[in-house]
Structures are given as C-alpha cells and as structure tokens.
Amino acid sequence: MERTRSAILTAAASALARDRSATLPEIAKAAGVGRTTLHRYFPDRDTLIRAAVEDSVEAIGEAVTEARLDQGTPVEALHRLVTAYLHVGDRLVFLFNDPHVMRGYGVEQPEEPVTADPVLDLITRGQRDGAFDDHVSPQWIQHVLWALVYTGIEEADRGTMSRHGVAATVIRTLERGILA
Amino acid sequence: MERTRSAILTAAASALARDRSATLPEIAKAAGVGRTTLHRYFPDRDTLIRAAVEDSVEAIGEAVTEARLDQGTPVEALHRLVTAYLHVGDRLVFLFNDPHVMRGYGVEQPEEPVTADPVLDLITRGQRDGAFDDHVSPQWIQHVLWALVYTGIEEADRGTMSRHGVAATVIRTLERGILA
DNA sequence: CGGAAGTGGACCGTCAGCGTTCCATTCTTG
DNA sequence: CAAGAATGGAACGCTGACGGTCCACTTCCG
C-alpha cells in the first residue's frame, strides 16, 4: 500500500528528527507498523533513510512551490516562505540534522546545476530589487533563513512560544535583526 | 596526567561535533591516545560525554567571561561575544548537537536559578537601554545568537567563508537582519 | 640504576541493533 | 465465500561497539 509507505517515511523523518539514532523498531512503532512491514518496504536502514530524505526534500519542495515565491514583492514572498517552512517543520529538522544533507544534499544528484532553486531565485530577486541585503551572499541568507526557522521550530516544540507567534517572531528577527 | 585528560576532552568534543556517533577508538585516536588510556580516564562512554559537556560548558563560560559583557555599550559587548563564540566553535557545535543540552543543559544542575548568565544579562541590559529589540524575549535573542554563530561556523568549516569574514557577516545579519 | 607510574596493544565476553526468515492472522477483492 | 495479498509477532545468526583485563614497554625520578 502506498499509504503505508508514506506513513513510514513521515514517521521516520519525525522520529529521526527528534533522535537521529532512533532504532528501527522505534520508527516502526512510530509509524504504527510492525518491524516486519517496515523491513518489507525498506530492506535496510540505509535505504529507509535515503527514502526519507528524498521524501522530505520532495515535500519541502512542494511546500515551497505552493508558496509561489515569484509572485508579489520579495518581502511578501519571504513571509509565505517562512510560513511554508514552519508547516513542514519536522521534515526540515530531519534534513537539518542528517549527516548534513544540506551541504551536498546527500541524495546523489547527477551534477544538476541546481540553478532552479526557487528560494535562491527569490533571494537574488530581492537583492536585485534592493529589498534584501546585497552585502552578503544569497547562500548566506538562505542558511540564515533555515537557521532561524529551525530555531523557531525548537521554540514551538518546547512550548516556549505559540505556533503562531513563532512565524511572526522569526520573520521579525529575520528582517530587522535584533537591534531596536 | 591532567594534560592528557584535557586533550581527550577537547578531542572528544571536536570529534563528536563532527559525528556524534563517533566511536571510542576514533575519539582515542583523535586525542592521540590509546583506547586503554581513554578507558582509564573515563570508564565508559557516558562518563566521557558528560565530562566533555561539562568541560565545553566551562570553556565557553570562560570565553564569555573574558569578553567582559558588562563593559561598554551592549552593541560593543555583542561584537566581543560573537567573536568569543567563534573562537570556541568546536565546543559550541558539540554542545549544540548533543541530546539537546541547550534546553535542559543535560548536566544536572541543582535547580540553579540560572539568573547569573552574563549573556542573558547583556541581552536584557541591551533591551533596557533601547539598543536591542524588546518586542521579543531575551531567550529568543539568545537562541538566535547561537543559531547564527552556528551557521557561521558551518560556513567557515566548509570553506565558503573566511574565518574573519564570518564574524563580520554574523554580526551584520544579527544586528540588521536580511533586509536592505 | 632500579622501581613506580603511565601508556597502549591485544584479547575477550557481552550486548544491542540489524537483516532475515517463518508463519499465523487479518484484510482485501473477485 | 474463497483465494490472494498484506501484516506483524517471534525467533535466529551476525556484526560492531563497548566494557574490562592482561601485559610488555617507555618514561620519569629517587
């Protein structure tokens, strides 16, 4: 069943986000599935993790696409992007804590020029329009964005901040820093 | 020898920062020490990690103390703090990636009020003086600070940015955000 | 020089997690 | 309802990491 596969991948991302050394039985239980079934879908741990990474990348990619970053002003788009990221928090945290998928993307890509990243497109557009700081590299802005969203998610998970307050706070700090 | 103990703890923090599932022999080798010696100083893995955490907390604490955060304007102090953090990058990354020491501090603390954190003192002072944004909590600012420093360290490790450029960039983004 | 302390290579028993298989049970579907 | 597919509990062997020990070797100092 495709439904099972999806549930496993989601649960795996969630469980591994919390504890990257989560055991296979733990993941299976989190997915509401027996260890045998888990093994049936993903023969070994490595396969599972790769699939989970791929699935999360895809899910996040969809969320970003839906955010329509090419529409409206860069600042408006940025707001939608942050919101979108927060909605896929688990997967984002999972990718963030993986053997640092972020740098090489872990999943082998056949030398894709990667020029087609909507987020980087938005950032460069914002810099061109004079909306975003162009004294720093687009990559830096992207990483800062990830870091702040990640921090916000932690805050929400811990209960320190309300789910909604997080978005506003992340955006505020992202845009204007911490100075008064 | 106290020298050996220190070398082990430093190497452990460094190795575990890169790969938190680093094996004991790996840590021993990183410390330039035999597995037996490692075992002599720290009977089991858990003891080693606790000691490494404690050691790192202490080292960072010293670096913060030396930054004299109560001197000069909050902004000046913040600059020194960021620089100090970057100098103890390895340990910071180690603590950051630990079973989330950051939240509960992992190391048992007997209900210390924790009121004596120079960093939080600086932040609240900055907010009181009208230097820092007081629409967000001091904790949030602290976490953002950590996150940005962490991001900067990654950048430096990856070679994306020069060691010196990192400090300037982190401070710039921390202070004024990503808007132009 | 000689003993004490520290070091580390080698070895070993244990154990948790993994990969694999078997099989009874449940769920689907024609 | 019956055949087939899917599920998951149970058991097993394997492997890698760990905790622990023994012992030869170096270093240091009386």
Side-chain angles (χ1 to χ4, degrees):
Chain A
M1 212 177 193
E2 189 58 27
R3 176 114 191 103
T4 306
R5 179 187 158 88
S6 175
I8 291 177
L9 290 178
T10 302
S14 178
L16 290 171
R18 277 186 236 99
D19 173 15
R20 87 167 59 188
S21 64
T23 186
L24 288 188
E26 283 170 5
I27 295 174
K29 181 182 294 180
V33 133
R35 200 166 91 84
T36 309
T37 301
L38 175 61
H39 175 260
R40 201 182 316 273
Y41 281 83
F42 306 97
D44 58 79
R45 186 188 181 85
D46 198 60
T47 305
L48 170 62
I49 291 187
R50 280 178 203 280
V53 167
E54 194 174 353
D55 180 68
S56 290
V57 168
E58 193 176 332
I60 293 175
E62 282 176 19
V64 169
T65 301
E66 284 171 9
R68 288 262 162 235
L69 300 185
D70 53 348
Q71 315 246 328
T73 70
V75 171
E76 290 168 355
L78 179 67
H79 289 202
R80 293 196 301 274
L81 176 57
V82 169
T83 304
Y85 272 162
L86 288 175
H87 281 318
V88 290
D90 268 3
R91 316 226 119 93
L92 221 142
V93 172
F94 165 58
L95 289 189
F96 221 83
N97 288 339
D98 216 43
H100 283 273
V101 186
M102 310 317 275
R103 37 191 80 168
Y105 269 29
V107 195
E108 81 300 325
Q109 71 278 60
E111 289 305 330
E112 287 184 46
V114 192
T115 46
D117 183 340
V119 177
L120 280 178
D121 285 349
L122 166 63
I123 294 172
T124 53
R125 176 165 75 94
Q127 288 181 324
R128 210 182 321 114
D129 292 7
F132 296 162
D133 187 358
D134 61 355
H135 284 61
V136 297
S137 75
Q139 284 75 19
W140 168 254
I141 291 184
Q142 186 179 33
H143 294 168
V144 168
L145 169 62
W146 285 340
L148 280 197
V149 168
Y150 181 89
T151 304
I153 292 171
E154 274 189 330
E155 217 79 16
D157 284 348
R158 200 175 327 171
T160 314
M161 268 168 91
S162 78
R163 269 291 171 191
H164 180 265
V166 167
T169 304
V170 168
I171 291 172
R172 178 185 180 90
T173 304
L174 187 59
E175 289 181 345
R176 52 194 299 284
I178 67 168
L179 293 192
Chain B
M1 211 178 199
E2 188 57 29
R3 176 113 190 103
T4 305
R5 181 188 157 89
S6 175
I8 290 178
L9 291 178
T10 302
S14 178
L16 290 172
R18 280 187 233 98
D19 174 13
R20 86 166 58 188
S21 64
T23 187
L24 288 189
E26 283 169 5
I27 295 175
K29 181 182 294 179
V33 133
R35 201 167 93 80
T36 308
T37 301
L38 175 62
H39 175 262
R40 201 184 315 274
Y41 281 82
F42 305 96
D44 58 80
R45 185 187 182 86
D46 198 60
T47 304
L48 170 62
I49 291 186
R50 281 179 203 281
V53 167
E54 193 175 352
D55 180 68
S56 289
V57 168
E58 193 176 332
I60 294 175
E62 282 176 20
V64 169
T65 300
E66 286 172 10
R68 290 261 160 233
L69 300 185
D70 54 346
Q71 314 246 329
T73 71
V75 171
E76 290 167 356
L78 179 67
H79 288 200
R80 292 196 301 273
L81 176 57
V82 169
T83 305
Y85 271 162
L86 288 175
H87 280 318
V88 289
D90 267 3
R91 312 213 124 101
L92 221 142
V93 171
F94 165 57
L95 288 188
F96 221 83
N97 287 340
D98 218 41
H100 283 276
V101 186
M102 311 316 274
R103 37 190 79 168
Y105 269 30
V107 195
E108 81 301 328
Q109 70 279 58
E111 290 304 331
E112 287 184 47
V114 191
T115 46
D117 183 342
V119 176
L120 279 179
D121 285 348
L122 167 64
I123 294 173
T124 54
R125 174 163 77 95
Q127 288 182 326
R128 210 182 321 115
D129 291 6
F132 296 162
D133 186 358
D134 62 354
H135 285 60
V136 297
S137 73
Q139 284 75 19
W140 169 254
I141 292 183
Q142 185 179 32
H143 294 168
V144 168
L145 169 61
W146 286 340
L148 281 196
V149 168
Y150 181 89
T151 305
I153 292 171
E154 274 189 327
E155 217 79 16
D157 283 349
R158 200 177 327 173
T160 314
M161 265 168 92
S162 77
R163 268 290 169 192
H164 180 263
V166 167
T169 304
V170 167
I171 290 173
R172 177 185 180 90
T173 304
L174 186 60
E175 289 182 345
R176 53 195 299 285
I178 67 167
L179 293 192

